Amino acid sequence: MPVDTPRLLINLDALAANYHTLKGVGMGVEVAPVVKADAYGLGAVKVSERLWEEGARTFYVARLSEGEVLREAMGARQADILVFDGAAPGSGPRLKAANLVPVLNSLEQIARWRAEADGPPLRAALHVDTGMNRLGLTMDEIAMLARRPAELAGLEVGWILSHLACADEPGNLMNAVQRQKFDDARFLFRQARASLANSAGVFISPTYAFDQIRPGISLYGGDPTGLHSARFETVATLEAPILQVRRVAPGETIGYGGDFKARRPMRVAIIGIGYADGVLRSASKGGRVWYADGPRPVLGQVSMDLTAVDITDVPETEDFGDMVEVFGPNLSLDAAAAGAGTSAYELLVRIGSRSERYWKRFS
Ligand SMILES: *Cc1c(COP(=O)(O)O)cnc(C)c1O
């Protein structure tokens, strides 16, 4: 492996373990992985191939183009690939060509997808908005569609979905309100598979699991609620090399803007990773990396290619060609996200293309 670039190690066995953990938490209901945004930066194709081996048969992406890439990669594997964006103007022929199922979010999208039906019924998912006010049909529209099946002629509604706004706060009353509305909606489409919960949703209570759960972040090792971190194995480890170690005298400053001023003699490691690689600038205050058995604070501003960290307390005998862990088994994704004032989600998807990705599996 080259040692001059950051590298992202992706443990596919841990991914598989997390999939089976979710199977257990959802009491055995279908686990349909969400592999949008290149599986949160971990490689949608590699991730989907492994999860297929583990038994996953339904996959969610956000964009049509993500669905096309995944369909191509799945080859002969007859996966159901659903596209959250639904049927955007002009997307019909491409959705059909790649055998993708749009998650229909509006009456307009329903009309557009129906217009493509010229043979056997076209498969579709319906997304009902139960309170998030992002995408989805209203409760009134869902009720109307159930009353007037002709409005869905030409379509086979295989799935009904909704999405929780506050699932990461199990005590938030909005969850129960959304769950009740979803229960009402799916009752109108009993032949469809019902799916409400994301990673955090399934932890509120098993009654949120319905027929299928749609986890993303927990598969990839993120802690969905702050309560269950030990349940999920570390999938992603981001490492970067120490390029130089320097001594900084009291009164000297480090990095752009001279934001950090040393108050004592310091030893500083300059690591070869910056905001072009996924260490957010917001980690300039409060960020840490893991090195030589301990967390080491980020000093001064994170720059595009480089980040300075304090290794004053590390014995001088350490080998400075070493890699530093930005997050991974020692410094969790969630801890690193907190240090940058963001979420595990954003941290993963911001890992730049310059970081080399290595997928490993042992089983
Ligand atoms: C991204 C997404 C998910 C997955 O959410 P996680 O919190 O990562 O488990 C599920 N459903 C929808 C509609 C999404 O947009």
Side-chain angles (χ1 to χ4, degrees):
M1 289 188 198
V3 292
D4 64 332
T5 45
R7 64 190 183 201
L8 180 66
L9 310 175
I10 299 146
N11 182 338
L12 294 171
D13 298 330
L15 172 78
N18 292 344
Y19 170 83
H20 292 292
T21 296
L22 284 158
K23 248 335 228 191
V25 178
M27 314 270 237
V29 305
E30 183 186 7
V31 175
V34 175
V35 296
K36 62 190 179 188
D38 203 21
Y40 297 25
L42 304 187
V45 169
K46 292 275 200 309
V47 160
S48 302
E49 284 173 345
R50 179 60 188 261
L51 293 175
W52 171 274
E53 274 182 50
E54 302 301 321
R57 292 295 177 267
T58 308
F59 297 83
Y60 285 93
V61 294
R63 306 276 182 258
L64 166 60
S65 56
E66 295 176 331
E68 289 172 328
V69 169
L70 188 57
R71 173 60 73 207
E72 174 89 33
M74 291 308 257
R77 286 167 287 212
Q78 298 277 313
D80 289 328
I81 303 175
L82 283 78
V83 180
F84 285 136
D85 281 355
S91 66
R94 283 170 62 187
L95 286 163
K96 275 171 77 177
N99 187 19
L100 304 173
V101 178
V103 177
L104 302 173
N105 294 301
S106 65
L107 296 177
E108 263 179 344
Q109 287 201 342
I110 290 173
R112 201 175 286 132
W113 191 227
R114 281 182 63 198
E116 297 294 327
D118 51 8
L122 277 180
R123 298 189 309 158
L126 297 181
H127 184 169
V128 54
D129 178 67
T130 51
M132 190 165 186
N133 278 313
R134 209 172 55 168
L135 293 177
L137 295 147
T138 66
M139 290 295 288
D140 285 347
E141 287 167 341
I142 280 284
M144 181 279 287
L145 291 169
R147 269 196 319 273
R148 292 196 247 151
E151 302 281 336
L152 291 165
L155 302 186
E156 178 194 322
V157 177
W159 296 264
I160 181 160
L161 335 179
S162 192
H163 194 46
L164 295 165
C166 307
D168 54 340
E169 302 163 32
N172 193 313
L173 293 177
M174 184 153 178
N175 293 320
V177 172
Q178 287 196 268
R179 189 197 169 283
Q180 185 56 52
K181 285 188 177 171
F182 183 65
D183 210 15
D184 294 344
R186 66 113 190 199
F187 194 70
L188 301 172
F189 289 88
R190 266 175 275 190
Q191 75 291 356
R193 295 184 77 69
S195 177
L196 175 65
N198 65 341
S199 293
V202 68
F203 285 102
I204 303 171
S205 130
T207 63
Y208 284 71
F210 291 94
D211 300 322
Q212 179 199 77
I213 59 175
R214 304 186 310 269
I217 195 73
S218 54
L219 285 169
Y220 311 128
D223 165 27
T225 62
L227 301 170
H228 304 281
S229 46
R231 285 185 192 246
F232 293 105
E233 294 188 16
T234 299
V235 175
T237 301
L238 182 61
E239 297 179 336
I242 294 179
L243 301 181
Q244 196 172 8
V245 173
R246 53 193 316 121
R247 291 173 184 284
V248 175
E252 290 184 345
T253 65
I254 297 170
Y256 284 120
D259 279 11
F260 180 87
K261 185 182 256 187
R263 300 193 190 289
R264 55 175 181 148
M266 297 184 83
R267 270 186 25 264
V268 177
I270 308 301
I271 58 174
I273 191 167
Y275 60 77
D277 308 292
V279 176
L280 305 190
R281 286 184 79 242
S282 55
S284 301
K285 287 208 171 57
R288 280 155 201 282
V289 301
W290 189 270
Y291 178 64
D293 293 326
R296 310 293 164 197
V298 170
L299 300 173
Q301 283 188 30
V302 173
S303 48
M304 190 183 292
D305 317 308
L306 301 170
T307 300
V309 298
D310 183 359
I311 57 162
T312 308
D313 298 335
V314 177
E316 298 230 15
T317 52
E318 291 291 337
D319 170 7
F320 293 119
D322 277 359
M323 299 296 273
V324 160
E325 180 182 311
V326 178
F327 55 74
N330 297 299
L331 190 74
S332 74
L333 189 58
D334 294 285
T342 187
S343 64
Y345 300 79
E346 189 182 14
L347 214 57
L348 281 183
V349 301
R350 292 287 192 100
I351 299 167
S353 54
R354 207 164 59 173
S355 296
E356 309 236 2
R357 282 157 169 79
Y358 298 90
W359 291 269
K360 55 178 183 161
R361 59 178 297 168
F362 300 102
S363 62

